[in-house]
C-alpha cells in the first residue's frame, strides 16, 4: 500500500507542478487576449481535441489490455510500431476530414473561426494522438513517471512560449496556438527513449497486432466518444449558440475544473499500472482503499474552491471573467464524478469490459450532448453546465454498479 501511495504522491507532485503552470498560463492568456480572444483559442483547441478524441480510437487502452497479458520486449515492440502506423494514418484521415468540413458549400462547420488559427491548431493532431498512445504504453509498463516529466516540460514550454509570442511579440491568438503546438511536440516525445529500450530497440509493426488493436477499438472506442460528449463538447455548443465571449468564460471555468483533477488523474495512472501487474481482482482491495481516500480529498477541495473562487478567478484572469466564477462554482460537483470515474477506469479495462464500458458511456454522452443542445440556446453556458452534470450523474451510477460488482467478487474470494 505504501508503494502505491508513493507512486500516487509522485504523480500528484508532477501534476501539481502542471497545475501551477496551467493556472499561470490561464492567467496570462486571459489577460493578454481577453474573453473574445480566449474564446477563439479555446474553440480551436476544442475542435482539435474533438478530432483527437474521435481519432485515437482508444487504441492506447487496448494496448494496456495487451500489456496485462504479455509485457515482454517483443510485445512492446509490436505495440510501439503498430501504434506509430496508426498515428500516421489517423492524422492524414483527420486532416482530410477537417478540410472537407471547412469547405462545406453552405457554411463552414467551424463557423467564423479564422482559417489560419484552425490550420495551426490542426498541426497538433499527430502529437495529441501520440501523447495518448505513449501515455497508455508507459502506464501499462508502470512507467507513468516518464510521461509526467515530459508533460511538465511541455507545460513549461507552453508558458514560456506564450510569454514570448503573445506577451512580447504580440502575436495574439496565433501566438497562443503556436505555443500549444510546441508544448504538444515536447509532451509527445516524453518517454520515447524508455519505450524504445523496453521494445528492445525495435519498432516492429505487425499486421496481427494492428488487427488486434482494431478489434479492441471497435469494442471500446464508443467509451471515449461518450466521455468527450458529456465532458468537453459543451465548449463547442456554447461557441455555436453564444459566441466567443461566452465561450471564453465557460472554457476558463471548465479548464480550472480540469486542473483540479490532479489527484484523480494521478490515481488513475497508478491504478492502471497496478491492475496490469496484479490483475483486477487482486488489485481491487488497494483500488477501493485509494478510491475512498481520493473521494474524501476531492470533497474537501470542492469546499475550499467554493469559498476561494470569487477571489482567485479575478486574480488569475482579471475582471473581464467575472461570469466564470458562477460557472466554476456550478461545475464543482463534477469533480466527485470525475474522481469516481478515474479511480474505476482501470477496473473496466482490466476486466476486459470493453463493450459494457463503451455502451454505457456512449449512452451517458448522448444524454449529455442532447441535454446541452436543448438547454444551451435558452439558458446559455448554464444550460451546458446542467447538461454536463446530468451526464456525470448517470456515469456515477454506472461506476457505482461496477464498484458493487468488484466488492461482491472480493467478498466471495475471501469466504
Amino acid at each position: 500500500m505504501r508503494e502505491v501511495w508513493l507512486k500516487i504522491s509522485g504523480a500528484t507532485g508532477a501534476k501539481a507542478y502542471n497545475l501551477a503552470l496551467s493556472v499561470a498560463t490561464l492567467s496570462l492568456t486571459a489577460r493578454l487576449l481577453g474573453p473574445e480572444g480566449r474564446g477563439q483559442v479555446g474553440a480551436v483547441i476544442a475542435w482539435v481535441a474533438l478530432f483527437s478524441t474521435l481519432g485515437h480510437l482508444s487504441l492506447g487502452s487496448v494496448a494496456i489490455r495487451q500489456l496485462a497479458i504479455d509485457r515482454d520486449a517483443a510485445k512492446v515492440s509490436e505495440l510501439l510500431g503498430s501504434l506509430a502506423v496508426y498515428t500516421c494514418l489517423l492524422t492524414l484521415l483527420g486532416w482530410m476530414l477537417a478540410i472537407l468540413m471547412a469547405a462545406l458549400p453552405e457554411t463552414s462547420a467551424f463557423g467564423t473561426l479564422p482559417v489560419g488559427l484552425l490550420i495551426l491548431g490542426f498541426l497538433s493532431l499527430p502529437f495529441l494522438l501520440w501523447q495518448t498512445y505513449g501515455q497508455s504504453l508507459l502506464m501499462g509498463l508502470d512507467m507513468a513517471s516518464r510521461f509526467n516529466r515530459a508533460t511538465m516540460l511541455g507545460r513549461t514550454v507552453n508558458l514560456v512560449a506564450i510569454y514570448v509570442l503573445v506577451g512580447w511579440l504580440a502575436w495574439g491568438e496565433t501566438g497562443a496556438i503556436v505555443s500549444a503546438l510546441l508544448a504538444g511536440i515536447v509532451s509527445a516525445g516524453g518517454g520515447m527513449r524508455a519505450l524504445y529500450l523496453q521494445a528492445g530497440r525495435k519498432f516492429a509493426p505487425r499486421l496481427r497486432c494492428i488487427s488486434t488493436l482494431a478489434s479492441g477499438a471497435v469494442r471500446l472506442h464508443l467509451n471515449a466518444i461518450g466521455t468527450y460528449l458529456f465532458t468537453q463538447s459543451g465548449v463547442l455548443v456554447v461557441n455555436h449558440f453564444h459566441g466567443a465571449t461566452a465561450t471564453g468564460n465557460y472554457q476558463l471555468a471548465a479548464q480550472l475544473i480540469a486542473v483540479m483533477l490532479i489527484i484523480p488523474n494521478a490515481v488513475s495512472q497508478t491504478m492502471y499500472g497496478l491492475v496490469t501487474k496484479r490483475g483486477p481482482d487482486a488489485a481491487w482491495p488497494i483500488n477501493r482503499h485509494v478510491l475512498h481516500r481520493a473521494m474524501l480529498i476531492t470533497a474537501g477541495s470542492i469546499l475550499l474552491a467554493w469559498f476561494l473562487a470569487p477571489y482567485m478567478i479575478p486574480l488569475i484572469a482579471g475582471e473581464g471573467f467575472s461570469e466564470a466564477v458562477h460557472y466554476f462554482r456550478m461545475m464543482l460537483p463534477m469533480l466527485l464524478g470525475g474522481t469516481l470515474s478515474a479511480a474505476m477506469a482501470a477496473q473496466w479495462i482490466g476486466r476486459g469490459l470493453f463493450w459494457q464500458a463503451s455502451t454505457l458511456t456512449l449512452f451517458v454522452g448522448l444524454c449529455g450532448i442532447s441535454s446541452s443542445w436543448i438547454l444551451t440556446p435558452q439558458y446559455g453556458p448554464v444550460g451546458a453546465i446542467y447538461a454536463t452534470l446530468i451526464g456525470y450523474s448517470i456515469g456515477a451510477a454506472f461506476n457505482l454498479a461496477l464498484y458493487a460488482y468488484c466488492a461482491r467478487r472480493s467478498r466471495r474470494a475471501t469466504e
Side-chain angles (χ1 to χ4, degrees):
M1 183 69 72
R2 183 173 180 272
E3 180 186 356
V4 171
W5 279 108
L6 284 174
K7 289 182 178 179
I8 293 174
S9 298
T12 301
K15 291 183 182 299
Y17 177 82
N18 290 339
L19 180 151
L21 290 184
S22 295
V23 171
T25 301
L26 282 172
S27 177
L28 196 58
T29 54
R31 292 177 181 277
L32 292 172
L33 301 177
E36 184 174 356
R38 177 76 199 165
Q40 283 192 342
V41 171
V44 170
I45 291 175
W47 271 112
V48 180
L50 172 61
F51 273 67
S52 174
T53 301
L54 298 180
H56 68 61
L57 300 180
S58 297
L59 297 172
S61 297
V62 181
I64 289 176
R65 173 66 177 169
Q66 292 298 306
L67 289 172
I69 300 171
D70 184 1
R71 300 174 65 177
D72 64 16
K75 172 59 70 173
V76 177
S77 177
E78 284 186 8
L79 289 170
L80 192 61
S82 299
L83 289 172
V85 171
Y86 271 115
T87 299
C88 296
L89 294 176
L90 293 171
T91 296
L92 292 175
L93 181 61
W95 283 345
M96 288 189 291
L97 180 59
I99 292 171
L100 289 174
M101 290 175 62
L104 290 174
E106 293 296 329
T107 180
S108 168
F110 302 110
T112 59
L113 290 174
V115 175
L117 289 184
L118 287 166
I119 292 173
L120 284 173
F122 273 93
L123 290 178
S124 300
L125 183 58
F127 306 108
L128 291 178
L129 291 172
W130 187 255
Q131 278 185 56
T132 302
Y133 298 152
Q135 181 183 21
S136 296
L137 291 173
L138 290 167
M139 286 194 301
L141 294 168
D142 204 17
M143 299 169 64
S145 60
R146 307 294 181 95
F147 179 82
N148 290 335
R149 287 197 291 270
T151 304
M152 291 167 65
L153 181 58
R155 294 289 177 88
T156 305
V157 168
N158 188 37
L159 180 61
V160 173
I162 286 174
Y163 180 80
V164 173
L165 299 179
V166 183
W168 185 30
L169 298 178
W171 284 13
E173 291 82 3
T174 299
I177 298 296
V178 171
S179 299
L181 172 60
L182 295 174
I185 293 171
V186 172
S187 298
M192 278 300 300
R193 183 174 182 276
L195 289 173
Y196 185 62
L197 294 176
Q198 286 286 318
R201 300 178 182 273
K202 293 180 181 178
F203 282 82
R206 296 284 186 271
L207 186 59
R208 181 186 69 253
C209 184
I210 291 173
S211 176
T212 300
L213 290 172
S215 175
V218 169
R219 291 178 287 155
L220 184 61
H221 191 49
L222 292 178
N223 179 66
I225 296 173
T227 300
Y228 179 89
L229 289 177
F230 79 85
T231 59
Q232 300 182 50
S233 62
V235 173
L236 299 180
V237 176
V238 172
N239 184 68
H240 177 78
F241 287 111
H242 297 284
T245 301
T247 304
N249 279 282
Y250 177 88
Q251 202 226 12
L252 177 67
Q255 281 201 296
L256 289 172
I257 292 294
V259 162
M260 289 186 66
L261 286 169
I262 56 169
I263 292 179
N265 288 336
V267 166
S268 181
Q269 280 190 358
T270 306
M271 289 302 101
Y272 270 117
L274 185 70
V275 168
T276 56
K277 182 182 292 185
R278 300 190 182 187
D281 286 322
W284 172 246
I286 297 176
N287 199 155
R288 180 183 58 198
H289 172 81
V290 170
L291 169 60
H292 293 170
R293 294 288 183 87
M295 291 294 283
L296 287 174
I297 293 170
T298 298
S301 68
I302 287 174
L303 291 174
L304 184 62
W306 175 273
F307 288 110
L308 293 180
Y311 310 103
M312 295 302 297
I313 291 179
L315 181 64
I316 291 169
E319 296 300 326
F321 289 86
S322 57
E323 285 295 318
V325 175
H326 178 53
Y327 301 156
F328 175 73
R329 281 179 157 180
M330 290 187 65
M331 291 179 181
L332 283 171
M334 298 176 191
L335 293 172
L336 292 172
T339 302
L340 177 62
S341 177
M344 294 301 297
Q347 289 294 327
W348 288 100
I349 302 303
R351 296 178 187 277
L353 301 174
F354 291 174
W355 276 119
Q356 293 89 333
S358 295
T359 303
L360 295 176
T361 309
L362 182 62
F363 172 73
V364 172
L366 291 175
C367 289
I369 189 66
S370 58
S371 300
S372 183
W373 204 259
I374 293 170
L375 297 174
T376 303
Q378 182 175 355
Y379 298 105
V382 171
I385 295 171
Y386 284 144
T388 307
L389 288 171
I390 290 171
Y392 269 108
S393 300
I394 299 172
F398 291 138
N399 277 304
L400 288 173
L402 178 62
Y403 178 98
Y405 170 78
C406 294
R408 187 167 60 250
R409 283 180 63 93
S410 180
R411 284 196 302 269
R412 289 176 180 173
T414 55
E415 289 175 355

